[in-house]
């Protein structure tokens, strides 16, 4: 299986996982991409991604040029949102944007998501999930806001888009889905915790201890 076919298969599986977990919200609106080379990605070409198939994608250079297939006009404005992340982080292999219901509550409220839920740390997320100030979707202002965070915060693998939704980025589609699910789970838990006194921070030393434990067990598995 070539890189394009493999990326399509992984994104189809990712979209099904997002749909089944309720991470697209009611309209099944999302956009997903996967890197296939240093300067190209596979990107969903339409907004509703509940039932993707092999023809649901376009091949796009990270400068924004569509190489194969076509992208719906309403979807074209998100190309640079994905491309910017790939340009700034060579380690990123997949970018996913959805309106995950609990994380989007924070986006609508312009409130960052604090890292108080240990599973997020195990995804390498060690900084508060920030809010990108509102600007029209895909505009230079919006994309530049994303770039500023991606460049300046290596411990961040997701951003909240003010009044809109959430953008996550990881090494592969499956990891991006797992990260998004964990982030939305954290948002839900924080919202519930605030009903009984509020979330409590992890100890300062927790981040280093968690990383050390992960290294120890990774070494033990070899």
């Amino acid at each position: 299986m070539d890189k394009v076919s493999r990326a399509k298969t992984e994104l189809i599986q990712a979209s099904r996982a997002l749909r089944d977990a309720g991470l697209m919200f009611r309209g099944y609106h999302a956009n997903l991409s996967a890197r296939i080379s240093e300067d190209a990605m596979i990107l969903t070409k339409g907004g509703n991604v509940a039932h993707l198939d092999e023809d649901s994608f376009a091949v796009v250079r990270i400068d924004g040029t569509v190489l194969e297939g076509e992208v719906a006009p309403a979807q074209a404005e998100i190309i640079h949102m994905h491309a910017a992340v790939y340009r700034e982080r060579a380690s990123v292999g997949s970018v996913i944007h959805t309106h995950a219901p609990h994380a989007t509550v924070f986006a609508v409220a312009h409130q960052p998501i604090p890292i108080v839920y240990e599973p997020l740390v195990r995804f390498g997320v060690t900084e508060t999930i920030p809010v990108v100030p509102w600007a029209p979707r895909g505009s230079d202002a919006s994309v530049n806001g994303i770039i500023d965070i991606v460049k300046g915060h290596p411990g961040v693998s997701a951003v909240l888009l003010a009044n809109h939704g959430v953008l996550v980025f990881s090494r592969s589609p499956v990891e991006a889905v797992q990260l998004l699910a964990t982030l939305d789970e954290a948002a839900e838990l924080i919202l519930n915790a605030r009903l009984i006194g509020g979330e409590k921070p992890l100890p300062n030393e927790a981040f280093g201890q968690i990383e050390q434990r992960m290294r120890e067990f990774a070494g033990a598995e070899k």
Side-chain angles (χ1 to χ4, degrees), residues 133-193:
W134 184 87
R137 188 179 76 156
S139 65
D140 288 346
S142 178
V143 172
N144 287 337
I146 294 168
I147 290 173
D148 288 344
I149 291 170
V150 172
K151 289 176 68 174
H153 298 273
V156 168
S157 298
V159 296
L160 302 173
L161 305 176
N163 303 94
H164 189 90
V166 60
L167 187 74
V168 302
F169 30 97
S170 194
R171 291 179 296 183
S172 68
V174 67
E175 288 191 17
V177 169
Q178 292 170 340
L179 173 58
L180 179 58
T182 305
L183 180 60
D184 199 64
E185 189 172 78
E188 181 179 13
L189 292 169
I190 292 166
L191 291 169
N192 285 331

Short mmCIF file of all heavy atoms in Angstrom, two decimals, residues 133-193:
data_model
loop_
_atom_site.label_atom_id
_atom_site.label_comp_id
_atom_site.label_asym_id
_atom_site.label_seq_id
_atom_site.Cartn_x
_atom_site.Cartn_y
_atom_site.Cartn_z
N PRO A 133 -7.17 33.82 19.40
CA PRO A 133 -8.19 34.86 19.30
C PRO A 133 -9.03 34.70 18.03
O PRO A 133 -8.53 34.27 16.99
CB PRO A 133 -7.38 36.16 19.27
CG PRO A 133 -6.10 35.81 19.97
CD PRO A 133 -5.82 34.38 19.60
N TRP A 134 -10.31 35.07 18.13
CA TRP A 134 -11.19 34.89 16.99
C TRP A 134 -10.74 35.72 15.80
O TRP A 134 -10.32 36.88 15.92
CB TRP A 134 -12.64 35.28 17.33
CG TRP A 134 -13.54 34.99 16.16
CD1 TRP A 134 -14.16 33.82 15.88
CD2 TRP A 134 -13.84 35.87 15.06
NE1 TRP A 134 -14.84 33.90 14.68
CE2 TRP A 134 -14.66 35.15 14.16
CE3 TRP A 134 -13.50 37.19 14.76
CZ2 TRP A 134 -15.15 35.70 12.99
CZ3 TRP A 134 -13.98 37.74 13.58
CH2 TRP A 134 -14.80 37.01 12.70
N ALA A 135 -10.83 35.10 14.64
CA ALA A 135 -10.67 35.76 13.35
C ALA A 135 -11.39 34.87 12.36
O ALA A 135 -11.63 33.68 12.64
CB ALA A 135 -9.20 35.93 12.97
N PRO A 136 -11.79 35.37 11.19
CA PRO A 136 -12.49 34.52 10.23
C PRO A 136 -11.71 33.24 9.94
O PRO A 136 -10.48 33.27 9.81
CB PRO A 136 -12.58 35.41 8.98
CG PRO A 136 -12.59 36.80 9.52
CD PRO A 136 -11.65 36.76 10.70
N ARG A 137 -12.42 32.15 9.84
CA ARG A 137 -11.80 30.84 9.65
C ARG A 137 -10.89 30.84 8.44
O ARG A 137 -11.29 31.24 7.33
CB ARG A 137 -12.88 29.77 9.48
CG ARG A 137 -12.33 28.35 9.47
CD ARG A 137 -13.43 27.33 9.31
NE ARG A 137 -13.91 27.28 7.93
CZ ARG A 137 -14.51 26.22 7.38
NH1 ARG A 137 -14.70 25.13 8.10
NH2 ARG A 137 -14.94 26.24 6.13
N GLY A 138 -9.64 30.40 8.64
CA GLY A 138 -8.70 30.30 7.54
C GLY A 138 -8.05 31.61 7.13
O GLY A 138 -7.21 31.62 6.22
N SER A 139 -8.41 32.72 7.78
CA SER A 139 -7.83 34.02 7.43
C SER A 139 -6.39 34.08 7.89
O SER A 139 -5.94 33.28 8.72
CB SER A 139 -8.64 35.15 8.08
OG SER A 139 -8.52 35.08 9.50
N ASP A 140 -5.64 35.06 7.37
CA ASP A 140 -4.25 35.23 7.80
C ASP A 140 -4.17 35.44 9.30
O ASP A 140 -3.28 34.91 9.97
CB ASP A 140 -3.63 36.43 7.07
CG ASP A 140 -3.35 36.15 5.61
OD1 ASP A 140 -3.39 34.97 5.20
OD2 ASP A 140 -3.08 37.13 4.87
N ALA A 141 -5.11 36.21 9.85
CA ALA A 141 -5.10 36.48 11.29
C ALA A 141 -5.29 35.20 12.08
O ALA A 141 -4.60 34.96 13.09
CB ALA A 141 -6.17 37.50 11.64
N SER A 142 -6.22 34.36 11.64
CA SER A 142 -6.47 33.10 12.34
C SER A 142 -5.27 32.17 12.23
O SER A 142 -4.81 31.61 13.23
CB SER A 142 -7.72 32.43 11.77
OG SER A 142 -7.94 31.18 12.40
N VAL A 143 -4.76 32.01 11.01
CA VAL A 143 -3.62 31.11 10.80
C VAL A 143 -2.39 31.61 11.54
O VAL A 143 -1.66 30.83 12.17
CB VAL A 143 -3.33 30.95 9.29
CG1 VAL A 143 -2.03 30.19 9.07
CG2 VAL A 143 -4.49 30.23 8.60
N ASN A 144 -2.14 32.91 11.52
CA ASN A 144 -0.98 33.45 12.23
C ASN A 144 -1.11 33.25 13.73
O ASN A 144 -0.11 33.04 14.44
CB ASN A 144 -0.80 34.93 11.90
CG ASN A 144 -0.27 35.15 10.50
OD1 ASN A 144 0.35 34.25 9.91
ND2 ASN A 144 -0.52 36.31 9.94
N GLY A 145 -2.35 33.31 14.25
CA GLY A 145 -2.56 33.05 15.66
C GLY A 145 -2.20 31.62 16.02
O GLY A 145 -1.60 31.35 17.08
N ILE A 146 -2.54 30.68 15.14
CA ILE A 146 -2.18 29.28 15.35
C ILE A 146 -0.66 29.12 15.29
O ILE A 146 -0.05 28.45 16.14
CB ILE A 146 -2.86 28.39 14.30
CG1 ILE A 146 -4.38 28.41 14.50
CG2 ILE A 146 -2.33 26.95 14.36
CD1 ILE A 146 -5.17 27.80 13.35
N ILE A 147 -0.04 29.73 14.29
CA ILE A 147 1.41 29.62 14.13
C ILE A 147 2.14 30.15 15.35
O ILE A 147 3.12 29.54 15.83
CB ILE A 147 1.87 30.38 12.86
CG1 ILE A 147 1.38 29.65 11.61
CG2 ILE A 147 3.39 30.52 12.83
CD1 ILE A 147 1.63 30.42 10.32
N ASP A 148 1.72 31.27 15.88
CA ASP A 148 2.38 31.86 17.05
C ASP A 148 2.41 30.87 18.21
O ASP A 148 3.42 30.76 18.92
CB ASP A 148 1.66 33.14 17.48
CG ASP A 148 1.90 34.30 16.52
OD1 ASP A 148 2.83 34.21 15.71
OD2 ASP A 148 1.13 35.28 16.60
N ILE A 149 1.32 30.16 18.41
CA ILE A 149 1.27 29.19 19.51
C ILE A 149 2.10 27.96 19.19
O ILE A 149 2.86 27.47 20.04
CB ILE A 149 -0.20 28.81 19.80
CG1 ILE A 149 -0.93 30.01 20.41
CG2 ILE A 149 -0.27 27.61 20.74
CD1 ILE A 149 -2.43 29.85 20.52
N VAL A 150 1.98 27.43 17.99
CA VAL A 150 2.72 26.22 17.62
C VAL A 150 4.22 26.46 17.71
O VAL A 150 4.98 25.59 18.19
CB VAL A 150 2.33 25.76 16.20
CG1 VAL A 150 3.22 24.63 15.72
CG2 VAL A 150 0.87 25.32 16.17
N LYS A 151 4.67 27.63 17.29
CA LYS A 151 6.10 27.95 17.33
C LYS A 151 6.59 28.21 18.75
O LYS A 151 7.69 27.83 19.11
CB LYS A 151 6.38 29.19 16.46
CG LYS A 151 6.26 28.95 14.98
CD LYS A 151 6.45 30.23 14.20
CE LYS A 151 7.86 30.77 14.29
NZ LYS A 151 8.05 31.94 13.40
N GLY A 152 5.75 28.85 19.55
CA GLY A 152 6.22 29.30 20.85
C GLY A 152 5.96 28.37 22.02
O GLY A 152 6.45 28.60 23.12
N HIS A 153 5.20 27.29 21.78
CA HIS A 153 4.80 26.42 22.89
C HIS A 153 4.98 24.96 22.50
O HIS A 153 4.02 24.29 22.09
CB HIS A 153 3.36 26.70 23.28
CG HIS A 153 3.12 28.10 23.76
ND1 HIS A 153 3.28 28.48 25.07
CD2 HIS A 153 2.75 29.22 23.09
CE1 HIS A 153 3.02 29.78 25.20
NE2 HIS A 153 2.70 30.24 24.02
N PRO A 154 6.20 24.43 22.63
CA PRO A 154 6.45 23.04 22.22
C PRO A 154 5.68 22.01 23.03
O PRO A 154 5.50 20.88 22.58
CB PRO A 154 7.96 22.88 22.41
CG PRO A 154 8.33 23.95 23.39
CD PRO A 154 7.42 25.09 23.11
N GLY A 155 5.21 22.38 24.23
CA GLY A 155 4.44 21.45 25.04
C GLY A 155 2.96 21.46 24.75
O GLY A 155 2.17 20.86 25.48
N VAL A 156 2.56 22.12 23.67
CA VAL A 156 1.15 22.21 23.27
C VAL A 156 0.94 21.44 21.98
O VAL A 156 1.67 21.64 21.01
CB VAL A 156 0.72 23.68 23.10
CG1 VAL A 156 -0.63 23.79 22.42
CG2 VAL A 156 0.67 24.39 24.46
N SER A 157 -0.04 20.56 21.96
CA SER A 157 -0.36 19.79 20.75
C SER A 157 -1.81 20.00 20.33
O SER A 157 -2.37 19.19 19.60
CB SER A 157 -0.11 18.29 20.98
OG SER A 157 1.25 18.06 21.25
N ALA A 158 -2.40 21.08 20.81
CA ALA A 158 -3.78 21.43 20.45
C ALA A 158 -4.00 22.90 20.75
O ALA A 158 -3.33 23.47 21.61
CB ALA A 158 -4.77 20.58 21.23
N VAL A 159 -4.93 23.49 20.02
CA VAL A 159 -5.34 24.86 20.31
C VAL A 159 -6.85 24.94 20.23
O VAL A 159 -7.49 24.17 19.50
CB VAL A 159 -4.71 25.89 19.34
CG1 VAL A 159 -3.20 25.93 19.48
CG2 VAL A 159 -5.11 25.61 17.89
N LEU A 160 -7.40 25.87 20.99
CA LEU A 160 -8.82 26.17 20.91
C LEU A 160 -9.00 27.36 19.98
O LEU A 160 -8.26 28.35 20.08
CB LEU A 160 -9.38 26.50 22.30
CG LEU A 160 -9.22 25.41 23.35
CD1 LEU A 160 -9.65 25.92 24.72
CD2 LEU A 160 -10.01 24.17 22.97
N LEU A 161 -9.93 27.26 19.07
CA LEU A 161 -10.22 28.35 18.14
C LEU A 161 -11.42 29.11 18.69
O LEU A 161 -12.53 28.57 18.77
CB LEU A 161 -10.53 27.78 16.75
CG LEU A 161 -9.44 26.86 16.17
CD1 LEU A 161 -9.89 26.28 14.84
CD2 LEU A 161 -8.12 27.60 16.00
N ALA A 162 -11.20 30.34 19.12
CA ALA A 162 -12.22 31.10 19.83
C ALA A 162 -13.55 31.11 19.08
O ALA A 162 -13.59 31.34 17.87
CB ALA A 162 -11.74 32.53 20.06
N ASN A 163 -14.62 30.82 19.81
CA ASN A 163 -15.98 30.83 19.27
C ASN A 163 -16.20 29.81 18.16
O ASN A 163 -17.17 29.92 17.40
CB ASN A 163 -16.36 32.23 18.75
CG ASN A 163 -16.24 33.29 19.81
OD1 ASN A 163 -15.20 33.94 19.92
ND2 ASN A 163 -17.27 33.47 20.61
N HIS A 164 -15.33 28.79 18.09
CA HIS A 164 -15.43 27.88 16.94
C HIS A 164 -15.23 26.41 17.29
O HIS A 164 -16.15 25.61 17.10
CB HIS A 164 -14.42 28.31 15.87
CG HIS A 164 -14.61 27.59 14.58
ND1 HIS A 164 -15.44 28.06 13.58
CD2 HIS A 164 -14.10 26.42 14.12
CE1 HIS A 164 -15.43 27.21 12.56
NE2 HIS A 164 -14.61 26.20 12.87
N GLY A 165 -14.04 26.02 17.71
CA GLY A 165 -13.79 24.59 17.91
C GLY A 165 -12.38 24.34 18.40
O GLY A 165 -11.77 25.17 19.07
N VAL A 166 -11.86 23.18 18.02
CA VAL A 166 -10.54 22.75 18.51
C VAL A 166 -9.73 22.17 17.37
O VAL A 166 -10.28 21.56 16.43
CB VAL A 166 -10.71 21.72 19.66
CG1 VAL A 166 -11.47 20.49 19.19
CG2 VAL A 166 -9.37 21.31 20.25
N LEU A 167 -8.42 22.36 17.43
CA LEU A 167 -7.48 21.84 16.44
C LEU A 167 -6.43 21.05 17.19
O LEU A 167 -5.80 21.57 18.11
CB LEU A 167 -6.83 22.99 15.67
CG LEU A 167 -5.93 22.64 14.48
CD1 LEU A 167 -6.79 22.20 13.30
CD2 LEU A 167 -5.08 23.85 14.08
N VAL A 168 -6.24 19.78 16.82
CA VAL A 168 -5.21 18.95 17.45
C VAL A 168 -4.23 18.46 16.40
O VAL A 168 -4.59 18.32 15.22
CB VAL A 168 -5.80 17.74 18.22
CG1 VAL A 168 -6.78 18.20 19.28
CG2 VAL A 168 -6.47 16.75 17.27
N PHE A 169 -3.02 18.17 16.81
CA PHE A 169 -2.00 17.71 15.88
C PHE A 169 -1.07 16.74 16.59
O PHE A 169 -0.65 16.95 17.72
CB PHE A 169 -1.21 18.88 15.28
CG PHE A 169 -1.07 20.09 16.17
CD1 PHE A 169 0.06 20.30 16.93
CD2 PHE A 169 -2.10 21.02 16.24
CE1 PHE A 169 0.18 21.42 17.75
CE2 PHE A 169 -2.00 22.14 17.05
CZ PHE A 169 -0.85 22.33 17.82
N SER A 170 -0.79 15.62 15.91
CA SER A 170 0.03 14.57 16.50
C SER A 170 0.77 13.82 15.40
O SER A 170 0.73 14.21 14.24
CB SER A 170 -0.84 13.62 17.32
OG SER A 170 -0.05 12.80 18.14
N ARG A 171 1.42 12.72 15.79
CA ARG A 171 2.28 12.01 14.84
C ARG A 171 1.52 11.22 13.80
O ARG A 171 2.06 10.94 12.72
CB ARG A 171 3.22 11.08 15.62
CG ARG A 171 4.28 11.81 16.44
CD ARG A 171 5.17 10.86 17.19
NE ARG A 171 4.42 10.10 18.19
CZ ARG A 171 4.97 9.24 19.05
NH1 ARG A 171 6.28 9.01 18.99
NH2 ARG A 171 4.21 8.60 19.93
N SER A 172 0.29 10.83 14.09
CA SER A 172 -0.49 10.01 13.17
C SER A 172 -1.97 10.28 13.39
O SER A 172 -2.36 10.82 14.44
CB SER A 172 -0.19 8.52 13.41
OG SER A 172 -0.71 8.12 14.68
N PRO A 173 -2.82 9.88 12.44
CA PRO A 173 -4.26 10.07 12.64
C PRO A 173 -4.78 9.39 13.90
O PRO A 173 -5.59 9.96 14.63
CB PRO A 173 -4.87 9.47 11.37
CG PRO A 173 -3.83 9.70 10.32
CD PRO A 173 -2.53 9.46 11.04
N VAL A 174 -4.32 8.17 14.16
CA VAL A 174 -4.83 7.47 15.34
C VAL A 174 -4.42 8.19 16.62
O VAL A 174 -5.21 8.32 17.57
CB VAL A 174 -4.39 5.99 15.36
CG1 VAL A 174 -2.88 5.84 15.54
CG2 VAL A 174 -5.13 5.23 16.46
N GLU A 175 -3.20 8.71 16.67
CA GLU A 175 -2.76 9.44 17.85
C GLU A 175 -3.50 10.76 17.98
O GLU A 175 -3.81 11.21 19.10
CB GLU A 175 -1.25 9.66 17.83
CG GLU A 175 -0.46 8.40 18.07
CD GLU A 175 1.02 8.67 18.31
OE1 GLU A 175 1.38 9.83 18.61
OE2 GLU A 175 1.81 7.72 18.21
N ALA A 176 -3.79 11.40 16.85
CA ALA A 176 -4.54 12.66 16.90
C ALA A 176 -5.95 12.43 17.44
O ALA A 176 -6.47 13.23 18.22
CB ALA A 176 -4.59 13.30 15.51
N VAL A 177 -6.58 11.32 17.03
CA VAL A 177 -7.91 10.99 17.55
C VAL A 177 -7.84 10.72 19.05
O VAL A 177 -8.68 11.21 19.83
CB VAL A 177 -8.49 9.75 16.82
CG1 VAL A 177 -9.74 9.24 17.54
CG2 VAL A 177 -8.83 10.10 15.39
N GLN A 178 -6.84 9.96 19.47
CA GLN A 178 -6.69 9.67 20.90
C GLN A 178 -6.47 10.95 21.71
O GLN A 178 -7.04 11.12 22.79
CB GLN A 178 -5.53 8.69 21.12
CG GLN A 178 -5.80 7.30 20.57
CD GLN A 178 -4.57 6.42 20.57
OE1 GLN A 178 -3.43 6.89 20.64
NE2 GLN A 178 -4.78 5.12 20.50
N LEU A 179 -5.67 11.85 21.17
CA LEU A 179 -5.42 13.12 21.84
C LEU A 179 -6.70 13.94 21.94
O LEU A 179 -7.02 14.50 23.00
CB LEU A 179 -4.34 13.91 21.09
CG LEU A 179 -4.08 15.33 21.58
CD1 LEU A 179 -3.69 15.37 23.05
CD2 LEU A 179 -3.01 15.99 20.71
N LEU A 180 -7.44 14.02 20.83
CA LEU A 180 -8.68 14.80 20.84
C LEU A 180 -9.68 14.21 21.83
O LEU A 180 -10.33 14.95 22.59
CB LEU A 180 -9.29 14.83 19.44
CG LEU A 180 -10.60 15.59 19.30
CD1 LEU A 180 -10.46 17.03 19.73
CD2 LEU A 180 -11.11 15.51 17.87
N ALA A 181 -9.80 12.89 21.85
CA ALA A 181 -10.72 12.24 22.79
C ALA A 181 -10.33 12.54 24.22
O ALA A 181 -11.19 12.82 25.08
CB ALA A 181 -10.74 10.74 22.54
N THR A 182 -9.04 12.49 24.51
CA THR A 182 -8.56 12.75 25.86
C THR A 182 -8.76 14.21 26.24
O THR A 182 -9.13 14.53 27.37
CB THR A 182 -7.08 12.36 25.98
OG1 THR A 182 -6.92 10.99 25.58
CG2 THR A 182 -6.58 12.50 27.41
N LEU A 183 -8.54 15.10 25.29
CA LEU A 183 -8.74 16.52 25.56
C LEU A 183 -10.20 16.84 25.83
O LEU A 183 -10.53 17.58 26.77
CB LEU A 183 -8.23 17.34 24.37
CG LEU A 183 -8.37 18.87 24.50
CD1 LEU A 183 -7.59 19.38 25.69
CD2 LEU A 183 -7.91 19.55 23.22
N ASP A 184 -11.10 16.26 25.03
CA ASP A 184 -12.52 16.51 25.25
C ASP A 184 -12.98 15.89 26.56
O ASP A 184 -13.82 16.46 27.28
CB ASP A 184 -13.34 15.96 24.09
CG ASP A 184 -14.72 16.59 24.03
OD1 ASP A 184 -14.81 17.82 23.82
OD2 ASP A 184 -15.72 15.87 24.21
N GLU A 185 -12.41 14.74 26.89
CA GLU A 185 -12.71 14.09 28.17
C GLU A 185 -12.24 14.99 29.32
O GLU A 185 -12.98 15.18 30.30
CB GLU A 185 -11.98 12.75 28.21
CG GLU A 185 -12.32 11.84 29.37
CD GLU A 185 -11.67 10.48 29.15
OE1 GLU A 185 -10.45 10.36 29.39
OE2 GLU A 185 -12.38 9.55 28.73
N ALA A 186 -11.04 15.56 29.18
CA ALA A 186 -10.53 16.46 30.21
C ALA A 186 -11.44 17.67 30.38
O ALA A 186 -11.74 18.10 31.50
CB ALA A 186 -9.12 16.92 29.86
N ALA A 187 -11.89 18.23 29.25
CA ALA A 187 -12.77 19.39 29.31
C ALA A 187 -14.07 19.05 30.03
O ALA A 187 -14.57 19.83 30.86
CB ALA A 187 -13.07 19.89 27.89
N GLU A 188 -14.63 17.88 29.74
CA GLU A 188 -15.87 17.46 30.40
C GLU A 188 -15.65 17.30 31.90
O GLU A 188 -16.48 17.75 32.72
CB GLU A 188 -16.37 16.15 29.79
CG GLU A 188 -17.67 15.66 30.42
CD GLU A 188 -18.17 14.37 29.79
OE1 GLU A 188 -17.40 13.72 29.05
OE2 GLU A 188 -19.34 14.02 30.03
N LEU A 189 -14.53 16.68 32.28
CA LEU A 189 -14.26 16.46 33.69
C LEU A 189 -14.06 17.79 34.43
O LEU A 189 -14.51 17.95 35.57
CB LEU A 189 -13.02 15.58 33.84
CG LEU A 189 -13.20 14.12 33.38
CD1 LEU A 189 -11.86 13.41 33.31
CD2 LEU A 189 -14.15 13.39 34.31
N ILE A 190 -13.37 18.73 33.79
CA ILE A 190 -13.15 20.04 34.41
C ILE A 190 -14.47 20.77 34.61
O ILE A 190 -14.72 21.36 35.67
CB ILE A 190 -12.17 20.87 33.57
CG1 ILE A 190 -10.77 20.26 33.62
CG2 ILE A 190 -12.12 22.32 34.06
CD1 ILE A 190 -9.82 20.81 32.58
N LEU A 191 -15.33 20.73 33.59
CA LEU A 191 -16.64 21.38 33.72
C LEU A 191 -17.43 20.77 34.88
O LEU A 191 -18.07 21.49 35.66
CB LEU A 191 -17.42 21.24 32.41
CG LEU A 191 -16.88 22.06 31.23
CD1 LEU A 191 -17.57 21.63 29.94
CD2 LEU A 191 -17.06 23.55 31.46
N ASN A 192 -17.37 19.45 35.03
CA ASN A 192 -18.07 18.80 36.13
C ASN A 192 -17.40 19.10 37.47
O ASN A 192 -18.09 19.30 38.48
CB ASN A 192 -18.14 17.29 35.90
CG ASN A 192 -19.15 16.91 34.83
OD1 ASN A 192 -20.14 17.60 34.63
ND2 ASN A 192 -18.90 15.82 34.13
N ALA A 193 -16.07 19.16 37.47
CA ALA A 193 -15.36 19.45 38.72
C ALA A 193 -15.71 20.84 39.24
O ALA A 193 -15.75 21.07 40.46
CB ALA A 193 -13.85 19.33 38.50
#
